[in-house]
Amino acid sequence: MNHLLNKIKAYDKKDFLLTEYLSSSYGDLLNRIDWWQSKITDNGIVSGDIVALIGDYSLDAIAAFFSLAEIKAVIVPIATRIKEEINVRVKESHAQFYINVELLTVDSMNTPRWEHPLINGLREEKCSGLVLFTSGSSGKPKAMIHNLDNLLASYEGRREKSLKMMVFLMFDHIGGLNTLLNAVSIGAMLVVPNERGPESVAKLIERYKIQVLPASPTFLNLLLISELSEKHDLGSLRIISYGTEPMPESLLKRLRAYFPKVRFIQTYGTSETGISSTISETSDSISLRIDDPNTESKIVNGELWLRTKTQTLGYLNAPMDSFTEDGWFRTGDQVEMDTNGFMKIIGRMREVINVGGQKVLPSEVESVLLELDFIQDCIVSAESNAITGQAVVANVVLKDQMDPILLRKTVRQYCLSKLDPYKIPAKIKVTESLNVSERFKKTRIG
């Protein structure tokens, strides 16, 4: 943590954070870190305590985060506003304290100090911890714990750059934290949208001349079909990084045509292993190669396995089924390797549709559907079928109204030229919009 505090001190006069209501410098961040350290210690929080940090990006949220890391607490960032989800995460992490950064309050939960082996290990090593959540198969979120000191150390040695970056992914997401820590390590300016909708983001890009936009493919498609470049000047963008879900090749082609001067970078990471540096084969390609001294990778039966120096110590409330005995994490991502040593992430293995014993990847079908000009967006999922076990179903958003019979006929004819017959959607359902999570990932149904 000391090296990041030294960076913050060195960048004292530089702009750090812009929100709708506040403009802050790195010097302001340093002052708020001092303020939060006093408030935290005055409320009895000490090294090894588990603290829920409620709120999304703000000067106070970031300052509280760094203050807790400095005293070696275990931090549980929770960015959702859904009360039920907050309560579940507080309970599953056994948080002893509850910080509400909007209200500037610190409250004791009157919870006994949890004597969990992984947390005790951090306490013995006098290291800070980070608890992140991922979806569990039973519906209960899985809580994983990281050595935060180890994660922070991975940002050492980065050179100062004058960049304006949008922070898009949320405060409790590994990708969002990566944006924050990377920005602080290089002295970049962060811009935080009050809302993460395309209109709000486009306005901020124009107003502050943002150069770097990290986002999900789902959000980028929403930005694309909104045609906001006709209302807002997005010409300042130089880099768009994307991850969190597969990028359809046809969507990337559309984006490249829409933003011809922008460099597109595919990122890769998981909550369990952290964000790994990658190299894309070209800016037009979804093929990438992991190129990170802290990351080992291999492909086993079509699945990507990772082993990193920044990976989680383990789950606090679930078995380590996704990890091998020698530390490899089975990502659940299905990949294809080409002859040049680059790989394509083609989908989640659990989302594969089984049509009479034949495997169908939803992302492959989605990419073909998005090649059709009259389809603005789509999501492909499985539906039970008495004969084949499962059938392929596509929910589509159309640019204009279309006769249902003509739609089915046109889609089928086009898909026959691109896909095997069993991959062609058996049903096409027209909808005005798709189910998208608050983290801008499509929610598959079926």
Side-chain angles (χ1 to χ4, degrees):
M1 180 62 204
N2 286 337
H3 73 281
L4 282 181
L5 283 179
N6 289 336
K7 287 286 187 78
I8 293 169
K9 292 175 183 177
Y11 302 144
D12 180 61
K13 303 299 182 183
K14 295 186 71 173
D15 290 329
F16 168 58
L17 195 72
L18 282 171
T19 67
E20 186 175 348
Y21 308 107
L22 184 68
S23 172
S24 309
S25 68
Y26 277 87
D28 294 327
L29 173 60
L30 195 62
N31 291 335
R32 293 309 287 175
I33 289 173
D34 291 340
W35 186 89
W36 273 104
Q37 283 186 330
S38 295
K39 189 170 185 67
I40 285 166
T41 53
D42 288 348
N43 280 273
I45 298 175
V46 298
S47 175
D49 282 346
I50 305 171
V51 184
L53 184 58
I54 314 299
D56 208 350
Y57 290 99
S58 67
L59 184 65
D60 279 300
I62 295 167
F65 180 90
F66 284 139
S67 299
L68 290 167
E70 185 69 6
I71 69 164
K72 308 303 180 184
V74 177
I75 309 169
V76 189
I78 303 174
T80 181
R81 292 182 176 273
I82 302 173
K83 189 172 182 179
E84 183 179 346
E85 288 189 20
I86 293 173
N87 292 339
V88 169
R89 295 182 185 200
V90 169
K91 179 181 178 182
E92 292 299 319
S93 63
H94 293 247
Q96 300 158 256
F97 294 89
Y98 183 107
I99 293 179
N100 187 316
V101 294
E102 289 186 2
L103 301 178
L104 304 181
T105 56
V106 179
D107 295 301
S108 172
M109 302 295 295
N110 296 316
T111 303
R113 191 175 237 224
W114 196 18
E115 299 299 327
H116 190 286
L118 295 177
I119 295 176
N120 288 341
L122 288 174
R123 290 168 179 158
E124 291 169 6
E125 295 176 17
K126 300 188 183 306
C127 291
S128 58
L130 173 68
V131 176
L132 298 176
F133 288 87
T134 187
S135 299
S137 58
S138 64
K140 182 176 73 172
K142 292 193 291 185
M144 69 193 74
I145 186 161
H146 287 264
N147 181 323
L148 182 55
D149 284 15
N150 186 37
L151 184 63
L152 294 174
S154 68
Y155 292 85
E156 286 190 48
R158 304 193 181 193
R159 296 181 180 179
E160 182 178 354
K161 296 180 182 178
S162 293
L163 288 174
K164 295 179 181 179
M165 306 170 63
M166 174 79 73
V167 59
F168 179 79
L169 299 172
M170 296 175 80
F171 192 45
D172 55 3
H173 188 286
I174 190 66
L177 289 172
N178 177 65
T179 301
L180 167 64
L181 298 175
N182 187 47
V184 171
S185 69
I186 65 174
M189 185 184 81
L190 282 177
V191 180
V192 180
N194 185 45
E195 298 178 0
R196 287 179 170 86
E199 180 76 28
S200 176
V201 168
K203 286 180 180 179
L204 290 178
I205 292 171
E206 179 180 41
R207 183 184 306 167
Y208 297 117
K209 307 301 180 188
I210 292 170
Q211 298 158 294
V212 182
L213 172 65
S216 67
T218 293
F219 175 82
L220 292 173
N221 191 45
L222 291 174
L223 187 65
L224 186 69
I225 63 182
S226 299
E227 298 182 342
L228 288 167
S229 64
E230 296 178 5
K231 296 172 58 178
H232 301 286
D233 181 4
L234 308 183
S236 62
L237 286 174
R238 291 292 173 264
I239 296 174
I240 293 178
S241 62
Y242 60 91
T244 75
E245 61 183 354
M247 168 70 83
E249 285 188 89
S250 55
L251 174 57
L252 182 58
K253 289 178 181 178
R254 284 188 188 181
L255 289 164
R256 288 284 294 140
Y258 200 71
F259 297 106
K261 296 181 180 179
V262 172
R263 179 186 174 200
F264 285 83
I265 299 175
Q266 184 173 190
T267 61
Y268 187 82
T270 71
S271 298
E272 285 83 356
T273 59
I275 305 297
S276 298
S277 298
T278 64
I279 296 175
S280 294
E281 189 167 22
T282 67
S283 190
D284 297 312
S285 171
I286 62 171
S287 296
L288 61 81
R289 182 173 66 231
I290 293 176
D291 185 44
D292 193 318
N294 295 319
T295 302
E296 297 175 83
S297 63
K298 63 181 179 180
I299 298 172
V300 179
N301 297 325
E303 181 184 19
L304 178 61
W305 288 19
L306 296 179
R307 186 164 59 185
T308 74
K309 293 181 181 178
T310 56
Q311 68 191 37
T312 180
L313 301 173
Y315 298 114
L316 298 174
N317 61 351
M320 295 284 284
D321 295 344
S322 298
F323 287 85
T324 65
E325 291 184 0
D326 53 352
W328 287 93
F329 176 61
R330 297 187 283 257
T331 66
D333 284 326
Q334 189 160 353
V335 298
E336 290 179 350
M337 184 70 74
D338 65 22
T339 55
N340 296 322
F342 288 84
M343 63 183 177
K344 288 182 180 179
I345 300 165
I346 54 179
R348 300 289 292 166
M349 299 189 76
R350 67 169 182 248
E351 293 174 352
V352 171
I353 304 169
N354 190 327
V355 181
Q358 302 279 4
K359 308 298 183 187
V360 181
L361 288 164
S363 59
E364 180 186 8
V365 182
E366 288 166 358
S367 186
V368 171
L369 292 176
L370 287 173
E371 292 175 5
L372 293 162
D373 291 338
F374 55 83
I375 293 180
Q376 288 190 319
D377 208 352
C378 67
I379 189 166
V380 170
S381 57
E383 185 175 281
S384 296
N385 183 280
I387 298 174
T388 60
Q390 290 183 321
V392 179
V393 176
N395 284 264
V396 300
V397 178
L398 300 179
K399 186 176 294 185
D400 299 299
Q401 287 187 347
M402 192 172 181
D403 176 73
I405 296 175
L406 178 61
L407 171 64
R408 287 194 296 271
K409 181 179 179 181
T410 305
V411 167
R412 180 169 180 79
Q413 285 180 341
Y414 187 77
C415 287
L416 276 171
S417 68
K418 299 278 186 173
L419 298 169
D420 293 320
Y422 63 88
K423 297 179 180 179
I424 297 172
K427 290 184 182 178
I428 298 172
K429 301 177 181 178
V430 177
T431 181
E432 291 186 3
S433 62
L434 301 177
N435 292 324
V436 176
S437 72
E438 64 177 344
R439 298 168 195 276
F440 280 96
K441 291 177 69 174
K442 290 178 184 177
T443 304
R444 295 192 189 279
I445 57 176

